[in-house]
Amino acid sequence: KKQKKKNGPSDDMENGANGMEVDSAEQDKMDSIAAWEETAPEKAVAAYQTILNSTEETDEAQKEKELAFRGLASVYAKQNNVKEVADVIRKARGFLDKLSKARGGQLFRFLFDKFLGMTGVYDAQVELCNESIEWAKGEKRTFLRQSLEVRLLGLYLESGQFQDCVQQVQPLLKELKRLDDKALLVDVQLIESKALFALSNYPKSKAALVTARTTANGIYCPPKMQSSLDLQSGIIHAQENDFKTAYSYFYEAFEGYDSVDMTSQAILGLKYMLLSKILLEEAKDVPSIISGKLALRYAGRDLEAMQAVATASLNRSLKDLEKALSEFGKELKEDRIINAHLAELQDKLLEQNLARIVEPFSRVEIEHVAQVIDRPKELVEAKLSQMILDKQLCGILDQGAGCLEIFEESTSDKTYEAALETIQSMGSVVEALSKRAQKIV
């Protein structure tokens, strides 16, 4: 130690400086190639390919190759070049043996996430996912295989193959519970909840979500995962018509997604927040939420669509709601949750409009009601019939004359109920007295 201190300080400083120069040179080289990804992608691809084709086996060369795999996948993903990204992933499999399992798994997951981020290539994604799962099984990379299986479940969920998703969830859940991998377990339980909800199995969906939240309480839950749990909780509460609680969960989800700059998910959480306010009949609060500090950065057609729905709800206008659905079809109808709740809102507004139209009459033609509300006669007749059966209207439909007869709501005479109650009380008293008399005798 003393010898090194005596003879080596200048040598150490020189070696350290040279080492820094080498690292700095490598970093500058990779940074310059990364800069080409935007300005000259072909040049970047050629540079990355040169690095990957190198036969050097040093640690520095391996680090360069790792960065080259990442950069090459990023360039091809931006070009939506499915075949090339898939080839990069296949080529990377052979390189993973030269890295530690943790580092290799991290690289492979990065490449695969780039591949899954491309749109319109579902079949290719499922094919490569299944192929990679089989490869991971052969290489006995258990954790990587489980991670790939979770991504496959996500693909099934996004593509609407909910039954396949639920079927493949169960064996993976058993395996993860046995290994006690809680982080991945939360992911799978959340996917199961979403798939069951899409299949309209709401009790099991809620049970899966409760299990996921319980599991998440025992570990550190990243903001992205916590926001996903909050969003799903809000969706389930909204399904149960508990919009006040749903709003709270959607607000938490929105704030979480906003904190990690997940714009598309933050907008979704914000739209669900506004939907909850509308369904709570508090549409007047929507403008103030949209103009709030957090929501201002997400201004666009999505929020304009919700503003139009809020205005229609506030005015109790069925025509305005239909106009909003027509004008903002993509923003409102493509989301299953929003579409389902807006269908309920549309039905509710129809009932309110019908009740307001028929209120002044004791007898009114169905044809006239249909003309006033601008709806087909068959639809109006069916809705009036349903309202009568639900006891929202007191009347009958005279289908022969094509009329609706409305009766005044008669208050029930409570004399008979009171008399029956008195007789039952007297019967109880007589029985009690009879029992006492028997004891005396």
Side-chain angles (χ1 to χ4, degrees):
K1 206 170 181 180
K2 287 180 181 178
Q3 185 71 19
K4 185 176 179 181
K5 187 175 180 182
K6 183 179 178 181
N7 299 329
S10 59
D11 293 338
D12 285 347
M13 286 176 68
E14 187 178 348
N15 290 337
N18 290 336
M20 285 296 289
E21 282 176 12
V22 171
D23 291 342
S24 177
E26 285 178 3
Q27 190 61 46
D28 289 344
K29 176 184 173 183
M30 298 310 293
D31 287 344
S32 62
I33 297 173
W36 292 339
E37 290 181 15
E38 296 294 337
T39 56
E42 296 82 5
K43 200 173 177 181
V45 167
Y48 286 136
Q49 292 285 13
T50 303
I51 294 170
L52 293 177
N53 292 332
S54 170
T55 55
E56 280 189 65
E57 296 294 334
T58 61
D59 289 343
E60 289 76 12
Q62 285 184 3
K63 288 177 183 177
E64 279 192 359
K65 285 183 180 180
E66 186 179 342
L67 292 172
F69 274 118
R70 291 172 180 264
L72 198 57
S74 298
V75 173
Y76 286 139
K78 286 174 186 174
Q79 297 171 349
N80 213 40
N81 194 331
V82 183
K83 183 178 179 300
E84 294 298 340
V85 179
D87 288 342
V88 170
I89 290 172
R90 291 187 179 101
K91 190 174 181 179
R93 291 175 191 166
F95 176 70
L96 295 187
D97 294 333
K98 299 173 184 177
L99 304 175
S100 66
K101 283 199 172 183
R103 200 166 136 199
Q106 192 178 14
L107 171 62
F108 199 80
R109 281 190 288 271
F110 174 86
L111 299 178
F112 221 88
D113 286 340
K114 287 291 180 184
F115 183 64
L116 295 181
M118 293 187 288
T119 55
V121 289
Y122 170 74
D123 291 336
Q125 288 170 336
V126 170
E127 182 184 349
L128 185 62
C129 206
N130 282 315
E131 181 187 319
S132 299
I133 288 169
E134 291 304 317
W135 167 79
K137 284 179 182 176
E139 293 289 317
K140 295 182 180 179
R141 290 177 175 266
T142 305
F143 295 109
L144 182 57
R145 172 185 57 77
Q146 291 169 347
S147 179
L148 290 170
E149 285 180 349
V150 172
R151 283 159 173 77
L152 181 61
L153 292 174
L155 282 174
Y156 285 146
L157 189 65
E158 287 174 16
S159 64
Q161 297 186 36
F162 306 119
Q163 202 64 52
D164 292 338
C165 183
V166 171
Q167 286 173 359
Q168 295 206 20
V169 155
Q170 295 308 318
L172 185 57
L173 276 176
K174 288 179 183 177
E175 186 180 357
L176 291 172
K177 284 175 183 175
R178 190 173 66 251
L179 294 172
D180 200 30
D181 188 346
K182 290 186 177 179
L184 212 54
L185 191 59
V186 174
D187 274 331
V188 177
Q189 287 167 338
L190 181 59
I191 289 172
E192 182 188 22
S193 175
K194 290 179 179 179
L196 288 167
F197 186 89
L199 291 169
S200 301
N201 194 339
Y202 304 125
K204 283 191 175 181
S205 174
K206 188 175 183 179
L209 179 65
V210 169
T211 309
R213 294 189 76 93
T214 305
T215 308
N217 286 338
I219 58 169
Y220 166 71
C221 200
K224 180 182 173 183
M225 177 52 64
Q226 186 60 54
S227 300
S228 298
L229 289 169
D230 288 334
L231 192 71
Q232 183 64 10
S233 298
I235 289 169
I236 288 176
H237 279 284
Q239 179 61 36
E240 296 173 345
N241 294 327
D242 184 3
F243 299 114
K244 194 169 184 180
T245 307
Y247 177 83
S248 301
Y249 277 119
F250 290 143
Y251 185 78
E252 292 293 331
F254 167 64
E255 281 196 324
Y257 285 131
D258 179 71
S259 68
V260 292
D261 293 325
M262 293 184 68
T263 304
S264 60
Q265 290 299 101
I267 289 173
L268 190 63
L270 183 54
K271 284 170 73 177
Y272 289 169
M273 277 171 58
L274 300 175
L275 180 67
S276 299
K277 278 292 182 185
I278 292 166
L279 296 172
L280 276 169
E281 297 185 359
E282 296 177 3
K284 62 182 183 298
D285 296 339
V286 168
S288 59
I289 295 172
I290 291 175
S291 59
K293 185 179 177 182
L294 278 177
L296 271 176
R297 58 183 290 202
Y298 300 107
R301 281 187 61 82
D302 289 287
L303 299 193
E304 287 173 15
M306 298 311 296
Q307 176 67 71
V309 173
T311 304
S313 175
L314 202 59
N315 297 333
R316 309 287 184 192
S317 173
L318 198 57
K319 285 184 179 179
D320 287 352
L321 179 59
E322 289 179 344
K323 185 181 176 184
L325 288 168
S326 175
E327 187 178 347
F328 300 99
K330 183 182 177 183
E331 290 78 10
L332 298 175
K333 291 182 179 178
E334 288 188 2
D335 187 294
R336 286 192 299 269
I337 308 300
I338 292 177
N339 191 35
H341 285 293
L342 287 186
E344 291 177 10
L345 178 62
Q346 196 170 9
D347 197 54
K348 185 179 177 182
L349 287 178
L350 178 60
E351 288 179 359
Q352 289 175 348
N353 278 263
L354 285 173
R356 189 173 67 245
I357 290 167
V358 302
E359 187 179 5
F361 301 97
S362 59
R363 182 181 174 89
V364 60
E365 289 184 356
I366 297 171
E367 185 71 41
H368 172 71
V369 177
Q371 285 175 0
V372 172
I373 205 168
D374 194 19
R375 288 290 175 281
K377 181 183 174 183
E378 294 75 16
L379 175 66
V380 171
E381 190 172 345
K383 178 51 69 176
L384 288 171
S385 176
Q386 183 186 334
M387 290 173 71
I388 291 169
L389 291 171
D390 292 342
K391 296 185 179 179
Q392 292 176 336
L393 274 180
C394 184
I396 59 168
L397 284 173
D398 186 346
Q399 289 184 318
C403 293
L404 168 69
E405 290 188 21
I406 302 169
F407 309 131
E408 289 185 10
E409 290 187 20
S410 55
T411 54
S412 58
D413 191 349
K414 296 186 178 179
T415 306
Y416 296 109
E417 291 179 14
L420 285 171
E421 204 173 312
T422 304
I423 291 168
Q424 286 174 355
S425 300
M426 287 292 291
S428 300
V429 171
V430 170
E431 284 179 14
L433 290 172
S434 176
K435 286 178 183 178
R436 287 188 181 184
Q438 286 174 2
K439 286 180 182 178
I440 293 169
V441 174

